[in-house]
Amino acid sequence: MTTTENAALSRRKMLCGVLVALAVPGGLAACGDAATTGDSSGTTGGTTGGSTGGSTGGTTGGSTGSAGAAAIVALADVPDGGGVIAGNPANSKPLVLVRTGDTVKAFDAACPHAGTTVAEPEGGTITCPNHGSQFDAATGAVRKGPATKGLPEVEVKVEGGQVVLA
């Protein structure tokens, strides 16, 4: 090898080292979660995904219904004829809650197409902001692809003015 080749190898190694040094801290920061911040409520709060009007996930902060089940959200926080995105206290994954009168249905809020959190229901339709899949707010069934499966229902009930897992 000549000295120019050695210098090129050294530059290459240096550039690789710089790239690793820049990439690794960002990757490690992305691995952190709310549980490491000392939050003892067991919820991670709201979600994103194009929902308007904000998320009410985690606003109940561990309050419980009469049977001791962790509350997902207060019934009053779910608009009648509409819905909200809230955290599931059992696994911290987002749920889309849909209300008609005193009846509330919940569906897994992850779009079955690519896993993006869907938006709050509007006009009886739940829409994925990522690729535009649409689901029936009453049943979770697919109305428009690219998703090929509906949103799985999660059993919930209303107890003491709180929506809780059934």
Side-chain angles (χ1 to χ4, degrees), residues 45-137:
T47 61
T48 60
S51 62
T52 57
S55 172
T56 58
T59 59
T60 56
S63 62
T64 58
S66 60
I72 300 168
V73 67
L75 179 62
D77 291 339
V78 183
D80 195 359
V84 297
I85 306 294
N88 183 339
N91 59 17
S92 299
K93 293 183 180 179
L95 296 172
V96 58
L97 300 158
V98 181
R99 178 179 174 190
T100 305
D102 288 335
T103 303
V104 177
K105 282 190 150 186
F107 303 98
D108 184 334
C111 178
H113 171 245
T116 303
T117 300
V118 297
E120 294 174 351
E122 289 184 23
T125 302
I126 300 167
T127 304
C128 176
N130 200 16
H131 296 113
S133 292
Q134 294 183 342
F135 307 91
D136 185 289

Side-chain angles (χ1 to χ4, degrees), residues 128-158:
C128 176
N130 200 16
H131 296 113
S133 292
Q134 294 183 342
F135 307 91
D136 185 289
T139 65
V142 176
R143 284 189 177 167
K144 176 184 162 202
T148 58
K149 294 187 286 184
L151 299 173
E153 188 170 353
V154 177
E155 295 294 321
V156 294
K157 60 186 175 182
V158 178

Side-chain angles (χ1 to χ4, degrees), residues 19-32:
L19 290 174
V20 168
L22 292 174
V24 170
L28 291 176
C31 292

